[in-house]
């Protein structure tokens, strides 16, 4: 053999040897080191069933459960094992067509692969569960998986408690390291979201051996590798469920919010936002439909105005304006001003007052009791033009620092997601509007009476009352006081709410002067008609200008006067004067909390207030149109459901008789030549109200 041929033969031998070695090494790797195919084989032979734990319960301050757990079932599918399913029977039970069936199957494979279980129909109704349970032998690859869902015995506090929902791919990406899987449920809003790590508990897993036809044969290794589900831990809150229910009742037919806080601890007693919703509508299999409907509602029932609504505080700001002027030594409690019905010292900028009686602003107490705009406009100018400051911009920045210290213009870090900070404008804002050298205390005069660019959220207003009640300190507003079996991590989570915040070094005498004036508001001032049986309290009314309609009604207060146990803020949009709409709501909430009851005369007044409709006309019209169409649509849906029910019953009877011809047909179809024994669907114009012109047009078109 030539040298050339010998060399070529050697190369071929080397290549073959290398390939052999690579194959050998790969076999060793697959057999000994790699777990990939071992896991795949085990997945084929071992069925892994997830046991979902009970979520923690949330209790109110009297240990009443605000929400509970109820048992529900999901229909779960493993697509690769569902090849011989009686599709028609399954579709009939679930009331879907084959197109929807195929879509759900594709989604399950896309989200979770074909060999892993995925939720096919979540949160089954009792009727659907019963039908499926009896027919599961027809549906290989499917199983019924038990899970815990929420129920709300008091039908209240939906915006606070939040809701849970199945996690999606976006959620899984954001929380990749937290161990969630497709099919898990998690808190999506409210306390459910903030305290998800506490409430969620820990999943358990049971493993079962399957034969070559995927039939369950028994527990794997006698349950040696099973894990037990661990229930979530409970939350104990400062909420008083009866005060919460009362607040929501009083805010019915209105747009607004009410917040009540215990000034001693910062614990939120009640937080209502209206319109609200019954949290039970976001549980079960109707959750998605109800959620979509509420998202489209122009009155925003899922929008928590207590932490997101931004309102000019109006005259409720005046006690803070007085404290700032007193602390800077610019006025004394006895300082007064002559007011003939308005403030005209700024020339073209004229601020009108509601009062013209002589002497109504002769001192601070009288000015607060009568809510004199001239008085508080003048002291605001003194603060901005303070001669101790280098410039009016420095005077303004000093005033802004007071506002921020008292919790305005910044987030209070309430234990709810999405809190807004509202607005205390910076000098740069006015520089952009007027020019750096062209604005002064007259240009921004209405800040002194809580208007202009200033806004605050109801929770900020209530917290301001806590500071004034405590004479200079507060605990950050929060709901959760303690966590069951509190850990070190829990302590760090709750620690910031247990920390006392000293606001400024304003003297007790300054607070006393302001508190006395706020007490006079309830004796002979603007809130003299609002009484709490057996309780003296301090308050301030407010009427905030609203460029989009009737003025907003505001009311802030704390009670009792000398030993405050509740601080409150109420805002009613388009409600007019503070003492007319917001004031009575705050009065009854304080009465309920302090006296644990409401007088007989008060109960009648509560009913009257709850029935008073202050929703703006534009939204009323929207509701009227929606309600009219919704009622018509409901009648149409009821008729369609009735006919579909008759059809399903007929099909079930046929199947029971052994005639399985239709089992291969799509739901709703019939064998050729068979007559329809059910009544034909009524035309829409026969169901829709004839008085509605839109429905008349429908009839004409038909």
């Amino acid at each position: 053999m030539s040298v050339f041929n010998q060399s070529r033969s050697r190369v071929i031998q080397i290549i073959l040897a290398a390939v052999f070695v690579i194959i050998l090494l790969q076999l060793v790797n697959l057999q000994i080191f790699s777990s990939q195919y071992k896991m795949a084989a085990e997945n084929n032979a071992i069925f892994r069933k997830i046991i979902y734990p009970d979520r923690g319960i949330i209790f109110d301050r009297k240990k009443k459960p605000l929400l509970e757990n109820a048992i529900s079932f999901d229909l779960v599918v493993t697509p690769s094992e569902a090849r011989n399913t009686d599709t028609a029977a399954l579709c009939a039970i679930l009331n879907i067509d084959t197109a929807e069936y195929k879509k759900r199957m594709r989604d399950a494979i896309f989200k979770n692969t074909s060999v892993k279980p995925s939720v096919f129909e979540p949160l089954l109704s009792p009727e659907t569960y019963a039908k499926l349970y009896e027919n599961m032998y027809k549906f290989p690859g499917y199983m019924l998986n038990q899970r815990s869902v929420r129920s709300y015995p008091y039908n209240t506090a939906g915006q606070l408690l939040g809701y849970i929902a199945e996690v999606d791919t976006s959620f899984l990406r954001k929380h990749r390291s937290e161990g969630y899987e497709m099919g898990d449920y998690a808190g999506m809003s409210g306390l459910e979201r903030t305290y998800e790590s506490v409430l969620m508990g820990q999943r358990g897993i049971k493993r079962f051996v399957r034969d070559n036809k995927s039939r369950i044969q028994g527990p794997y290794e006698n349950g040696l590798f099973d894990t037990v589900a661990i229930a979530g831990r409970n939350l104990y809150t400062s909420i008083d469920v009866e005060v919460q229910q009362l607040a929501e009742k009083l805010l019915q037919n209105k747009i607004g919010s009410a917040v009540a806080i215990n000034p001693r601890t910062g614990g939120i007693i009640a937080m209502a936002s209206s319109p609200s919703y019954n949290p039970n509508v976001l549980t079960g299999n109707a959750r998605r439909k109800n959620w979509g409907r509420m998202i489209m509602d122009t009155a925003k029932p899922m929008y928590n105005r207590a932490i997101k609504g931004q309102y000019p505080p109006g005259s409720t700001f005046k006690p803070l304006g007085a404290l700032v002027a007193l602390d800077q030594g610019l006025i004394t409690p006895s300082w007064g001003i002559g007011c003939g019905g308005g403030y005209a010292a700024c020339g073209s900028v004229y601020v009108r007052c509601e009062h013209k009686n002589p002497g109504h602003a002769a001192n601070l107490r009288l000015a607060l009791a009568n809510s004199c705009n001239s008085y508080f406009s003048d002291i605001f100018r003194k603060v901005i033009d303070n001669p101790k400051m280098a410039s009016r911009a420095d005077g303004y920045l000093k005033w802004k620092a007071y506002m921020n210290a008292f919790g305005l213009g910044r987030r209070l870090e309430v234990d709810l997601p999405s809190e807004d900070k509202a607005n205390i404008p910076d000098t740069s804002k006015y520089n952009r509007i007027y020019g750096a050298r062209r604005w002064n205390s007259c240009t921004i005069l209405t800040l002194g009476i809580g208007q202009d660019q200033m806004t605050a959220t109801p929770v900020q207003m209530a917290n301001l009352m806590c500071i004034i009640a405590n004479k200079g300190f507060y605990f950050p507003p929060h709901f959760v006081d303690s966590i069951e079996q509190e850990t070190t991590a829990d302590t760090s989570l709750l620690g910031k709410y247990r920390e006392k915040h000293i606001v400024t070094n304003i003297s007790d005498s300054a607070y006393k002067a302001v508190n006395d004036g706020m007490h006079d508001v309830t004796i002979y001032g603007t809130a003299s008609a609002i009484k709490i049986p057996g309780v003296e309290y301090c308050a301030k009314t407010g009427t905030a200008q609203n460029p989009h309609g009737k003025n907003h009604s505001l009311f802030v207060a704390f009670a009792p006067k000398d030993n405050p146990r509740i601080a409150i803020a109420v805002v009613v949009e388009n409600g007019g004067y503070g003492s007319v709409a917001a004031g009575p709501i705050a009065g009854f909430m304080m009465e309920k909390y302090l006296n644990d009851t409401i007088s007989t005369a008060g109960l009648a007044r509560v009913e009257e207030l709850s029935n008073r409709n202050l929703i703006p006309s534009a939204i009323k019209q929207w509701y009227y149109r929606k309600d009219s169409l919704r009622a018509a649509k409901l009648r149409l849906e009821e008729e369609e459901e009735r006919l579909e029910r008759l059809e399903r019953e007929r099909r079930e009877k046929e199947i029971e008789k052994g005639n399985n011809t239709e089992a291969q047909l799509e739901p709703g179809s019939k064998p050729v030549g068979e007559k329809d024994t059910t009544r034909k669907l009524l035309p829409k114009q026969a169901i829709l109200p004839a008085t509605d012109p839109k429905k008349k047009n429908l009839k004409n078109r038909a």
Side-chain angles (χ1 to χ4, degrees):
M1 183 181 295
S2 66
V3 175
F4 173 77
N5 288 334
Q6 287 181 353
S7 300
R8 187 167 60 177
S9 176
R10 182 62 56 85
V11 170
I12 293 172
Q13 290 174 359
I14 292 171
I15 292 172
L16 291 174
V19 170
F20 177 78
V21 170
I22 291 171
I23 293 173
L24 182 62
L25 290 174
Q26 181 64 8
L27 286 172
V28 171
N29 176 55
L30 292 175
Q31 294 284 345
I32 300 175
F33 300 107
S34 175
S35 60
Q36 177 184 356
Y37 291 97
K38 179 183 178 183
M39 291 174 63
E42 287 184 351
N43 285 336
N44 288 330
I46 300 171
F47 175 73
R48 180 174 173 267
K49 181 180 180 180
I50 295 175
I51 310 299
Y52 292 103
D54 286 341
R55 288 179 69 86
I57 306 299
I58 301 178
F59 294 93
D60 87 335
R61 72 185 187 97
K62 296 178 181 178
K63 303 297 187 294
K64 296 177 181 177
L66 297 170
L67 49 73
E68 297 173 334
N69 291 314
I71 294 175
S72 185
F73 289 87
D74 293 339
L75 179 63
V76 177
V77 62
T78 304
S80 63
E81 300 172 8
R83 294 179 184 132
N84 297 317
T85 292
D86 187 344
T87 306
L90 181 60
C91 289
I93 293 173
L94 298 180
N95 195 23
I96 61 175
D97 56 25
T98 52
E100 175 65 16
Y101 175 89
K102 292 174 182 177
K103 178 182 177 299
R104 293 189 186 186
M105 193 64 76
R106 286 194 300 268
D107 289 343
I109 295 171
F110 176 76
K111 292 177 181 178
N112 214 21
T113 76
S114 64
V115 297
K116 291 184 179 180
S118 297
V119 175
F120 190 82
E121 176 80 4
L123 306 176
L124 301 168
S125 67
E127 296 80 9
T128 304
Y129 168 76
K131 290 180 180 178
L132 284 169
Y133 185 78
E134 292 176 353
N135 292 277
M136 284 305 291
Y137 68 92
K138 300 178 183 178
F139 314 132
Y142 287 84
M143 65 173 297
L144 296 168
N145 203 7
Q146 179 178 315
R147 76 157 66 246
S148 174
V149 296
R150 293 304 206 187
S151 64
Y152 303 85
Y154 294 98
N155 302 332
T156 191
Q159 293 152 328
L160 313 183
L161 300 173
Y163 66 93
I164 61 173
E166 185 179 353
V167 300
D168 56 17
T169 52
S170 174
F171 185 97
L172 291 174
R173 280 196 300 270
K174 291 178 183 176
H175 304 272
R176 194 184 304 275
S177 62
E178 297 176 26
Y180 290 99
E181 297 179 3
M182 291 300 299
D184 287 352
Y185 275 53
M188 296 296 168
S189 66
L191 296 176
E192 295 272 23
R193 174 70 261 161
T194 303
Y195 294 95
E196 167 67 12
S197 60
V198 175
L199 294 167
M200 67 180 292
Q202 184 175 320
R203 290 189 307 268
I205 297 175
K206 285 188 175 181
R207 293 172 173 83
F208 299 90
V209 177
R210 297 191 286 196
D211 63 14
N212 60 346
K213 295 184 179 179
S214 293
R215 294 174 297 195
I216 301 296
Q217 299 300 303
Y220 175 68
E221 295 291 342
N222 293 320
L224 180 64
F225 299 100
D226 293 351
T227 57
V228 179
I230 301 174
R233 290 177 292 144
N234 300 330
L235 302 180
Y236 300 95
T237 73
S238 53
I239 298 171
D240 187 308
V241 69
E242 294 180 2
V243 179
Q244 178 71 28
Q245 287 179 308
L246 176 64
E248 292 185 8
K249 180 181 178 69
L250 290 166
L251 284 169
Q252 281 180 171
N253 304 309
K254 302 164 189 68
I255 296 178
S257 179
V259 180
I261 303 175
N262 183 345
R264 297 174 177 176
T265 64
I268 297 175
I269 299 163
M271 179 183 282
S273 178
S274 180
S276 186
Y277 64 91
N278 182 340
N280 281 300
V281 303
L282 291 183
T283 62
N285 54 9
R287 185 193 68 81
R288 291 181 182 177
K289 181 174 70 174
N290 291 328
W291 186 85
R293 176 177 56 80
M294 289 190 291
I295 286 294
M296 297 299 293
D297 193 329
T298 58
K300 301 180 180 179
M302 299 185 73
Y303 181 78
N304 190 347
R305 290 170 169 82
I307 60 172
K308 297 188 74 64
Q310 301 184 32
Y311 307 94
S315 294
T316 63
F317 168 77
K318 290 173 180 176
L320 178 52
L323 284 171
V324 173
L326 288 168
D327 189 50
Q328 292 188 326
L330 300 172
I331 64 168
T332 64
S334 60
W335 182 84
I337 188 174
C339 175
Y343 186 77
C346 282
S348 60
V349 182
Y350 182 76
V351 179
R352 191 178 303 278
C353 286
E354 294 293 333
H355 299 274
K356 296 182 180 179
N357 52 300
H360 73 267
N363 57 54
L364 176 59
R365 289 183 66 169
L366 284 166
L368 279 169
N370 293 289
S371 195
C372 179
N373 285 341
S374 295
Y375 188 98
F376 292 97
S377 296
D378 194 74
I379 66 174
F380 173 74
R381 290 193 66 201
K382 293 181 185 298
V383 171
I384 302 303
D385 299 332
N386 189 343
K388 296 179 182 179
M389 297 294 151
S391 66
R392 52 115 175 93
D394 288 341
Y396 179 84
L397 290 173
K398 179 68 174 176
W399 174 86
K400 183 177 183 296
Y402 275 103
M403 300 301 105
N404 295 152
F406 276 85
L408 302 182
R410 64 179 180 84
R411 293 180 182 86
L412 295 173
E413 304 299 334
V414 180
D415 49 351
L416 288 178
S418 304
E419 178 194 2
D420 280 350
K421 65 179 183 179
N423 184 48
I424 298 295
D426 200 353
T427 53
S428 59
K429 176 75 171 179
Y430 293 115
N431 290 343
R432 287 196 301 272
I433 296 173
Y434 302 108
R437 298 179 180 273
R438 298 181 62 185
W439 63 273
N440 53 42
S441 60
C442 281
T443 314
I444 57 174
L445 182 65
T446 54
L447 280 176
I449 56 172
Q451 296 281 170
D452 195 72
Q453 302 285 325
M454 175 196 299
T455 59
T457 62
V459 73
Q460 289 174 337
M461 299 182 207
N463 188 62
L464 175 58
M465 288 300 101
C466 289
I467 297 170
I468 295 176
N470 291 331
K471 295 183 172 62
F473 70 88
Y474 73 97
F475 293 91
H478 61 278
F479 290 96
V480 176
D481 288 334
S482 63
I483 298 173
E484 181 185 22
Q485 299 174 0
E486 190 169 309
T487 65
T488 305
D490 299 333
T491 303
S492 64
L493 178 65
L494 298 178
K496 62 182 177 182
Y497 300 120
R498 297 166 179 172
E499 182 180 346
K500 185 177 181 179
H501 290 250
I502 307 296
V503 175
T504 61
N505 293 319
I506 297 176
S507 65
D508 285 355
S509 61
Y511 279 107
K512 184 179 185 307
V514 169
N515 288 4
D516 288 343
M518 292 179 68
H519 182 234
D520 290 346
V521 170
T522 69
I523 302 301
Y524 63 86
T526 54
S528 58
I530 302 169
K531 303 297 183 184
I532 304 176
V535 179
E536 292 188 3
Y537 71 104
C538 300
K540 186 69 193 76
T541 57
T543 307
Q545 292 181 3
N546 172 28
H548 308 293
K550 192 176 178 181
N551 290 341
H552 298 324
S553 174
L554 298 95
F555 192 88
V556 294
F558 60 85
K561 173 182 180 291
D562 297 320
N563 185 25
R565 292 163 47 205
I566 182 172
I568 196 164
V570 178
V571 178
V572 178
E573 295 184 22
N574 308 103
Y577 290 114
S579 59
V580 174
I585 293 174
F588 284 121
M589 288 176 64
M590 290 187 288
E591 180 181 349
K592 177 64 178 175
Y593 181 74
L594 296 172
N595 298 342
D596 202 31
T597 187
I598 294 177
S599 65
T600 304
L603 290 174
R605 179 72 172 139
V606 165
E607 292 299 323
E608 179 189 339
L609 285 171
S610 66
N611 292 324
R612 181 188 296 173
N613 196 324
L614 297 176
I615 294 177
S617 57
I619 294 181
K620 283 181 184 177
Q621 289 295 326
W622 185 88
Y623 272 121
Y624 174 78
R625 291 194 301 271
K626 283 289 180 184
D627 287 343
S628 178
L629 290 171
R630 190 178 295 123
K633 185 179 178 183
L634 223 91
R635 288 193 292 273
L636 187 62
E637 288 177 349
E638 287 173 356
E639 180 65 12
E640 289 174 344
E641 287 176 3
R642 187 184 72 81
L643 295 175
E644 287 173 358
R645 186 175 66 254
L646 289 173
E647 172 66 8
R648 286 198 304 272
E649 290 173 357
R650 185 187 65 78
R651 288 165 54 79
E652 288 170 2
K653 287 178 182 177
E654 290 293 330
I655 292 172
E656 287 175 5
K657 290 176 182 177
N659 181 5
N660 201 28
T661 305
E662 297 179 18
Q664 307 303 320
L665 300 174
E666 292 187 9
S669 62
K670 298 175 181 59
V672 177
E674 183 177 330
K675 293 182 179 180
D676 188 355
T677 57
T678 60
R679 189 161 52 87
K680 290 185 178 179
L681 185 65
L682 292 175
K684 290 186 179 180
Q685 64 269 25
I687 300 171
L688 299 176
T691 55
D692 192 325
K694 291 185 178 180
K695 283 57 178 189
K696 288 181 180 179
N697 292 338
L698 232 171
K699 182 177 181 180
N700 293 336
R701 287 197 300 272

